[in-house]
Amino acid sequence: MNASSHFDIIRSPLLTEKATDLRDHRNQLVFKVDSRANKRQVAEAIYKIFNVKAASVRIVNTPSKPKRLGKYEGRKPGYKKAIVSLKEGDTIEIFERIE
């Protein structure tokens, strides 16, 4: 795989309240990933992009949800997210707090 395909696998970091708690207390990071990606591809992309080895990767498929605004109905798109556990002492700079 080339470098651009690693960025295609890792779409964006997921910054929710639960993801922040995982980062602070368990050294785990949450990313939105491509719907066709598997655990090995996610771990390799994390290593190539951030130069940090993943201790483990868990994948969760989040289903789409129905939404409604007045008389208009639609669906919020589903996505796949990866919960990446890092070894003790390893960090990724983009998730560091600015103090």
Side-chain angles (χ1 to χ4, degrees), residues 8-66:
D8 292 338
I9 291 173
I10 305 293
R11 296 281 170 92
S12 64
L14 196 62
L15 300 174
T16 61
E17 188 173 353
K18 185 173 182 177
T20 305
D21 287 342
L22 287 173
R23 181 188 72 212
D24 292 341
H25 300 296
R26 296 188 181 186
N27 204 21
Q28 295 177 338
L29 305 171
V30 183
F31 296 95
K32 277 189 179 181
V33 296
D34 186 76
S35 62
R36 298 164 296 187
N38 60 32
K39 292 180 182 185
R40 287 184 183 152
Q41 291 171 334
V42 171
E44 183 181 342
I46 293 293
Y47 179 71
K48 294 290 185 180
I49 295 170
F50 301 111
N51 202 21
V52 174
K53 287 208 174 203
S56 69
V57 177
R58 293 183 295 160
I59 300 282
V60 179
N61 280 314
T62 305
S64 64
K65 295 180 181 180

Side-chain angles (χ1 to χ4, degrees), residues 83-96:
I83 302 169
V84 179
S85 298
L86 300 178
K87 294 180 182 176
E88 279 297 319
D90 286 346
T91 59
I92 294 178
E93 297 85 32
I94 61 169
F95 290 104
E96 295 299 315

Side-chain angles (χ1 to χ4, degrees), residues 67-80:
K67 293 294 176 185
R68 181 179 168 145
L69 182 63
K71 66 178 184 177
Y72 301 105
E73 294 183 4
R75 293 192 75 80
K76 186 176 179 181
Y79 57 92
K80 183 183 264 192

